[in-house]
Short mmCIF file of all heavy atoms in Angstrom, two decimals:
data_model
loop_
_atom_site.label_atom_id
_atom_site.label_comp_id
_atom_site.label_asym_id
_atom_site.label_seq_id
_atom_site.Cartn_x
_atom_site.Cartn_y
_atom_site.Cartn_z
N PHE A 1 -24.42 8.42 12.63
CA PHE A 1 -23.36 7.45 12.63
C PHE A 1 -22.45 7.59 13.74
O PHE A 1 -21.98 8.69 14.14
CB PHE A 1 -22.46 7.59 11.32
CG PHE A 1 -23.23 7.18 10.11
CD1 PHE A 1 -23.54 8.10 9.18
CD2 PHE A 1 -23.60 5.79 9.84
CE1 PHE A 1 -24.12 7.77 7.96
CE2 PHE A 1 -24.22 5.50 8.60
CZ PHE A 1 -24.55 6.48 7.80
N TYR A 2 -22.12 6.48 14.47
CA TYR A 2 -21.24 6.49 15.60
C TYR A 2 -19.89 5.95 15.09
O TYR A 2 -19.79 4.84 14.69
CB TYR A 2 -21.74 5.67 16.77
CG TYR A 2 -21.10 5.84 18.14
CD1 TYR A 2 -21.69 6.71 19.02
CD2 TYR A 2 -19.83 5.26 18.41
CE1 TYR A 2 -21.15 6.91 20.27
CE2 TYR A 2 -19.26 5.43 19.53
CZ TYR A 2 -19.86 6.22 20.50
OH TYR A 2 -19.38 6.51 21.77
N LEU A 3 -18.88 6.82 15.08
CA LEU A 3 -17.66 6.50 14.51
C LEU A 3 -16.49 6.20 15.50
O LEU A 3 -16.48 6.92 16.57
CB LEU A 3 -17.21 7.64 13.58
CG LEU A 3 -18.05 8.10 12.55
CD1 LEU A 3 -17.44 9.11 11.52
CD2 LEU A 3 -18.41 6.80 11.46
N ILE A 4 -15.69 5.25 15.27
CA ILE A 4 -14.54 4.97 16.02
C ILE A 4 -13.27 5.22 15.17
O ILE A 4 -13.22 4.62 14.05
CB ILE A 4 -14.48 3.56 16.66
CG1 ILE A 4 -15.71 3.28 17.55
CG2 ILE A 4 -13.31 3.35 17.45
CD1 ILE A 4 -15.85 1.81 17.97
N PHE A 5 -12.48 6.15 15.61
CA PHE A 5 -11.34 6.47 14.80
C PHE A 5 -10.02 5.99 15.48
O PHE A 5 -9.85 6.43 16.57
CB PHE A 5 -11.34 8.01 14.49
CG PHE A 5 -10.08 8.50 13.80
CD1 PHE A 5 -9.89 8.17 12.52
CD2 PHE A 5 -9.07 9.26 14.54
CE1 PHE A 5 -8.72 8.72 11.83
CE2 PHE A 5 -7.94 9.69 13.86
CZ PHE A 5 -7.81 9.41 12.52
N CYS A 6 -9.38 5.15 14.93
CA CYS A 6 -7.99 4.68 15.55
C CYS A 6 -6.90 4.88 14.51
O CYS A 6 -7.06 4.51 13.47
CB CYS A 6 -8.14 3.17 15.88
SG CYS A 6 -9.34 2.87 17.14
N VAL A 7 -5.83 5.37 14.96
CA VAL A 7 -4.71 5.53 14.03
C VAL A 7 -3.38 5.41 14.91
O VAL A 7 -3.25 5.85 16.02
CB VAL A 7 -4.67 6.85 13.39
CG1 VAL A 7 -4.70 8.15 14.37
CG2 VAL A 7 -3.59 7.09 12.41
N SER A 8 -2.45 4.76 14.25
CA SER A 8 -1.20 4.45 14.93
C SER A 8 0.02 5.07 14.04
O SER A 8 0.02 4.65 12.87
CB SER A 8 -0.86 2.93 15.11
OG SER A 8 0.40 2.79 15.66
N PHE A 9 0.61 6.08 14.66
CA PHE A 9 1.66 6.81 13.94
C PHE A 9 3.05 6.26 14.26
O PHE A 9 3.32 5.92 15.43
CB PHE A 9 1.74 8.28 14.27
CG PHE A 9 0.43 9.05 13.86
CD1 PHE A 9 -0.51 9.22 14.67
CD2 PHE A 9 0.44 9.61 12.59
CE1 PHE A 9 -1.67 9.93 14.35
CE2 PHE A 9 -0.65 10.28 12.19
CZ PHE A 9 -1.83 10.44 13.05
N LEU A 10 3.92 6.12 13.27
CA LEU A 10 5.25 5.77 13.53
C LEU A 10 5.98 7.02 13.70
O LEU A 10 5.84 8.00 13.08
CB LEU A 10 5.90 4.99 12.22
CG LEU A 10 5.25 3.63 11.91
CD1 LEU A 10 5.88 3.14 10.65
CD2 LEU A 10 5.30 2.79 13.03
N GLN A 11 6.95 6.92 14.74
CA GLN A 11 7.70 8.09 15.16
C GLN A 11 8.67 8.58 14.09
O GLN A 11 9.39 7.75 13.58
CB GLN A 11 8.44 7.91 16.50
CG GLN A 11 9.12 9.12 16.99
CD GLN A 11 7.92 10.00 17.74
OE1 GLN A 11 7.13 9.44 18.31
NE2 GLN A 11 8.20 11.32 17.64
N SER A 12 8.71 9.83 13.81
CA SER A 12 9.74 10.35 12.83
C SER A 12 10.13 11.73 13.45
O SER A 12 10.45 11.84 14.61
CB SER A 12 9.22 10.48 11.47
OG SER A 12 7.99 11.34 11.40
N GLN A 13 10.13 12.71 12.60
CA GLN A 13 10.51 14.09 13.05
C GLN A 13 9.36 15.01 13.35
O GLN A 13 8.60 14.78 14.17
CB GLN A 13 11.48 14.64 12.04
CG GLN A 13 12.72 13.87 11.77
CD GLN A 13 13.73 14.50 10.82
OE1 GLN A 13 13.34 15.25 10.07
NE2 GLN A 13 14.95 13.85 10.73
N GLU A 14 9.14 16.04 12.39
CA GLU A 14 8.07 16.92 12.79
C GLU A 14 6.79 16.46 12.39
O GLU A 14 5.63 16.87 12.94
CB GLU A 14 8.37 18.29 12.08
CG GLU A 14 9.46 19.04 12.58
CD GLU A 14 9.66 20.43 11.98
OE1 GLU A 14 8.90 20.70 10.96
OE2 GLU A 14 10.52 21.23 12.44
N LYS A 15 6.69 15.55 11.45
CA LYS A 15 5.50 14.89 10.98
C LYS A 15 5.38 13.47 11.11
O LYS A 15 6.34 12.85 10.76
CB LYS A 15 5.17 15.45 9.51
CG LYS A 15 4.90 16.89 9.21
CD LYS A 15 4.52 17.16 7.76
CE LYS A 15 4.26 18.63 7.54
NZ LYS A 15 3.84 18.88 6.17
N LEU A 16 4.31 13.00 11.63
CA LEU A 16 4.02 11.62 11.87
C LEU A 16 3.00 11.15 10.85
O LEU A 16 2.05 11.79 10.56
CB LEU A 16 3.59 11.23 13.26
CG LEU A 16 4.39 11.74 14.43
CD1 LEU A 16 3.79 11.22 15.74
CD2 LEU A 16 5.84 11.39 14.30
N ILE A 17 3.36 10.01 10.17
CA ILE A 17 2.50 9.51 9.00
C ILE A 17 2.02 8.08 9.35
O ILE A 17 2.76 7.30 9.81
CB ILE A 17 3.35 9.48 7.77
CG1 ILE A 17 3.77 10.88 7.38
CG2 ILE A 17 2.48 9.01 6.57
CD1 ILE A 17 4.61 10.95 6.18
N SER A 18 0.72 8.07 9.07
CA SER A 18 0.01 6.61 9.18
C SER A 18 -0.72 6.38 7.95
O SER A 18 -1.50 7.24 7.41
CB SER A 18 -0.85 6.59 10.45
OG SER A 18 -1.52 5.29 10.44
N LYS A 19 -0.53 5.07 7.50
CA LYS A 19 -1.28 4.70 6.32
C LYS A 19 -2.29 3.53 6.51
O LYS A 19 -2.86 3.09 5.63
CB LYS A 19 -0.32 4.16 5.15
CG LYS A 19 0.75 5.19 4.86
CD LYS A 19 1.81 4.63 3.92
CE LYS A 19 2.88 5.64 3.59
NZ LYS A 19 4.02 4.99 2.80
N ASN A 20 -2.40 3.25 7.87
CA ASN A 20 -3.39 2.06 8.08
C ASN A 20 -4.25 2.52 9.32
O ASN A 20 -4.49 1.59 10.23
CB ASN A 20 -2.62 0.83 8.44
CG ASN A 20 -1.55 0.96 9.54
OD1 ASN A 20 -1.28 2.01 10.05
ND2 ASN A 20 -1.06 -0.10 9.94
N GLY A 21 -4.68 3.70 9.38
CA GLY A 21 -5.70 4.03 10.38
C GLY A 21 -7.08 3.29 10.11
O GLY A 21 -7.28 2.70 9.03
N LYS A 22 -7.89 3.34 11.07
CA LYS A 22 -9.13 2.60 11.03
C LYS A 22 -10.33 3.48 11.40
O LYS A 22 -10.18 4.23 12.33
CB LYS A 22 -9.17 1.35 11.88
CG LYS A 22 -7.98 0.40 11.54
CD LYS A 22 -8.01 -0.83 12.52
CE LYS A 22 -6.82 -1.74 12.27
NZ LYS A 22 -6.92 -2.39 10.96
N ILE A 23 -11.36 3.35 10.67
CA ILE A 23 -12.69 4.01 11.07
C ILE A 23 -13.77 2.96 11.02
O ILE A 23 -13.89 2.22 10.11
CB ILE A 23 -13.03 5.19 10.16
CG1 ILE A 23 -12.00 6.27 10.11
CG2 ILE A 23 -14.40 5.67 10.40
CD1 ILE A 23 -12.30 7.45 9.22
N MET A 24 -14.62 2.93 12.07
CA MET A 24 -15.74 2.04 12.16
C MET A 24 -16.92 2.79 12.35
O MET A 24 -16.90 3.72 13.24
CB MET A 24 -15.52 0.97 13.15
CG MET A 24 -16.59 -0.12 13.18
SD MET A 24 -16.44 -1.32 14.58
CE MET A 24 -17.24 -0.27 15.84
N PHE A 25 -18.15 2.34 11.75
CA PHE A 25 -19.29 2.98 12.21
C PHE A 25 -20.37 2.00 12.34
O PHE A 25 -20.24 0.87 11.74
CB PHE A 25 -19.81 4.13 11.24
CG PHE A 25 -20.41 3.65 9.90
CD1 PHE A 25 -21.67 3.19 9.90
CD2 PHE A 25 -19.66 3.62 8.76
CE1 PHE A 25 -22.35 2.77 8.69
CE2 PHE A 25 -20.19 3.22 7.54
CZ PHE A 25 -21.51 2.69 7.48
N GLU A 26 -21.35 2.15 13.24
CA GLU A 26 -22.42 1.21 13.45
C GLU A 26 -23.67 2.01 13.65
O GLU A 26 -23.71 3.04 14.36
CB GLU A 26 -22.11 0.25 14.61
CG GLU A 26 -23.30 -0.66 14.85
CD GLU A 26 -22.86 -1.73 15.88
OE1 GLU A 26 -21.74 -1.79 16.23
OE2 GLU A 26 -23.65 -2.56 16.14
N ALA A 27 -24.85 1.51 13.04
CA ALA A 27 -26.13 2.19 13.09
C ALA A 27 -27.15 0.96 13.22
O ALA A 27 -28.06 1.01 12.46
CB ALA A 27 -26.34 3.05 11.98
N SER A 28 -26.97 0.05 13.97
CA SER A 28 -27.70 -1.15 14.08
C SER A 28 -29.03 -0.94 14.86
O SER A 28 -29.03 -0.04 15.81
CB SER A 28 -26.98 -2.30 14.67
OG SER A 28 -25.91 -2.72 13.82
N VAL A 29 -30.09 -1.67 14.63
CA VAL A 29 -31.30 -1.65 15.39
C VAL A 29 -31.68 -3.08 15.95
O VAL A 29 -31.47 -3.99 15.08
CB VAL A 29 -32.51 -1.07 14.54
CG1 VAL A 29 -33.87 -1.22 15.36
CG2 VAL A 29 -32.26 0.26 14.14
N PRO A 30 -31.98 -3.23 17.11
CA PRO A 30 -32.37 -4.57 17.65
C PRO A 30 -33.44 -5.19 16.73
O PRO A 30 -34.34 -4.61 16.25
CB PRO A 30 -32.95 -4.34 19.07
CG PRO A 30 -32.23 -3.05 19.38
CD PRO A 30 -32.20 -2.21 18.20
N SER A 31 -33.22 -6.53 16.51
CA SER A 31 -34.25 -7.38 15.76
C SER A 31 -34.05 -7.18 14.28
O SER A 31 -34.81 -7.83 13.41
CB SER A 31 -35.67 -7.09 16.10
OG SER A 31 -35.94 -7.32 17.49
N TYR A 32 -33.07 -6.35 13.88
CA TYR A 32 -32.77 -6.16 12.39
C TYR A 32 -31.24 -6.53 12.14
O TYR A 32 -30.57 -6.71 12.99
CB TYR A 32 -33.09 -4.71 11.99
CG TYR A 32 -34.51 -4.47 11.89
CD1 TYR A 32 -35.18 -3.66 12.84
CD2 TYR A 32 -35.25 -4.78 10.71
CE1 TYR A 32 -36.48 -3.47 12.75
CE2 TYR A 32 -36.62 -4.30 10.62
CZ TYR A 32 -37.17 -3.80 11.69
OH TYR A 32 -38.58 -3.49 11.61
#
């Protein structure tokens, strides 16, 4: 699986928290 991981953190103090990160995977074959 080829994964793309994207996450946007909101600035805070020592810990940054994100609740809407994204992961995409693709395993397609031509003609299918």
Side-chain angles (χ1 to χ4, degrees):
F1 289 110
Y2 196 97
L3 301 181
I4 300 175
F5 174 73
C6 296
V7 58
S8 177
F9 292 95
L10 297 180
Q11 190 74 40
S12 61
Q13 298 179 348
E14 290 185 354
K15 291 185 178 181
L16 307 186
I17 299 174
S18 174
K19 303 173 185 177
N20 59 352
K22 300 179 186 292
I23 296 180
M24 186 189 83
F25 77 81
E26 183 169 353
S28 301
V29 173
S31 301
Y32 287 97

